[in-house]
Each structure stands twice: as C-alpha cells, then as structure tokens.
Amino acid sequence: MPEIKIRSANPNDIETLSVFEHGYYSEFVWQMSLDVSSENAQVEFRRTQLPRRVFVSYPRNKAAIFNDIDQAEAFLIAELADRPVGYLKIETQKESNIARVSDLVISAPMRRQGIASGLLFAAMDLLTYRHFNTLVLEMQSKNDPAIKMANKLGFTFCGFRDHFFPNQELALFFSRFAR
C-alpha cells in the first residue's frame, strides 16, 4: 500500500474529488433469489460471473454526495504526495451507535492498492474514539471489488434492501464492530 495521509475534507476539496471517476468495472454480480411462503422466507445471494466485464455507474449523484458534507459524521480524504486520491463519507445514527459508510471512492488509477482499506481503518479508529459500536458498508450488488474487500477486512453480510439507491438498485450491507 502506498504511504497515504488521511485528513478531514474541507470545502476546497470538493472540486478535486468531484472529477474522480465514481463508476467501476466488474466481472461479477451478486444475484439474489427470494423464496417466500406463508411460513418461510429464504434469501440466497450467489456470485455469478458476467459474460463480459461491465462498467457500473455510481448509484448516487455527485452533487448530492458533496452537498451535505458538513452534516456528515466524518468526511475523510486520503492523500498521496499532497494530492487527494480517495475519500470516504460516514453518516451516523447516534441513538443506535451505528455508523454507515455511504460513499467510498478512490481515484481510478489508484484503485486496488489498499487506499480504501486505509480509509476504512482510519474511519474505524475515529468511530471507536467517538464511541460508535458498529460500522456498516453499503454497496451495489454489482460491486464485486468492494464485496471482496469487505470480506477481506472482516466485515460480514448483514442484510439487503431493494430499491435502496437513488437509481433504484439493490443494496447489500456488511458490518463489523468498530472496535
């Protein structure tokens, strides 16, 4: 992993961060099958290879991500050589001590080098300091790279919600104790 510096975002960062490519490529999708009867409900997710590598658009509008950074619990930036290379936005439910990563974006040329992991570890340290118990990641079912990273970092699947994102896509949720 490159040596990155993590810091809080400020309004001057928005222009730089908004030009990052927010979409990603995937070769797999997590397909859901749902079997519901009057006495049973069974949900299964299966990792399925797509016929070809596809580009997946980011599920949120960039303007919406940056409009409320002052209301987020934290908005962290990863810098390499004094240039932003990624960011992470955390929203919270203080009454339940749960924090949620709503956005995690790494500059396309810097992906798969451990920067997202570094941001997540910094977020967990910050949340522990602020007395949050659990960190939840949300992601599209097509985001195989993020699902693999979540599993690698000890996050476990904890649920899903259909039509969750503004683009109406399914969200998968993974959680882990922040401590």
Side-chain angles (χ1 to χ4, degrees), residues 29-78:
V29 63
W30 286 74
Q31 289 185 314
M32 180 182 79
S33 61
L34 178 63
D35 183 16
V36 178
S37 69
S38 62
E39 296 180 23
N40 245 344
Q42 184 174 351
V43 178
E44 179 180 82
F45 285 94
R46 181 174 300 130
R47 185 176 185 243
T48 305
Q49 187 163 10
L50 297 167
R52 61 182 166 73
R53 185 176 184 226
V54 297
F55 182 79
V56 182
S57 298
Y58 199 71
R60 287 194 182 82
N61 176 300
K62 290 181 191 179
I65 296 168
F66 302 114
N67 279 345
D68 62 351
I69 66 169
D70 56 332
Q71 296 171 12
E73 180 69 28
F75 199 107
L76 303 177
I77 291 180

Side-chain angles (χ1 to χ4, degrees), residues 7 9-22 62-63 65-67 69 75 77 84 87:
R7 66 171 175 82
N10 64 60
N12 297 332
D13 295 315
I14 293 172
E15 186 177 336
T16 301
L17 301 176
S18 66
V19 299
F20 285 3
E21 175 54 68
H22 283 60
K62 290 181 191 179
I65 296 168
F66 302 114
N67 279 345
I69 66 169
F75 199 107
I77 291 180
Y87 71 86

Side-chain angles (χ1 to χ4, degrees), residues 32 45 139 157 159-165 168-173:
M32 180 182 79
F45 285 94
M139 60 199 70
F157 176 75
F160 71 95
R161 186 168 166 198
D162 205 7
H163 307 291
F164 177 77
F165 293 107
Q168 300 303 304
E169 286 200 34
L170 173 81
L172 301 179
F173 299 96

Side-chain angles (χ1 to χ4, degrees), residues 117-128:
S117 297
L119 279 164
L120 284 168
F121 288 132
M124 286 187 278
D125 288 345
L126 176 66
L127 293 169
T128 297

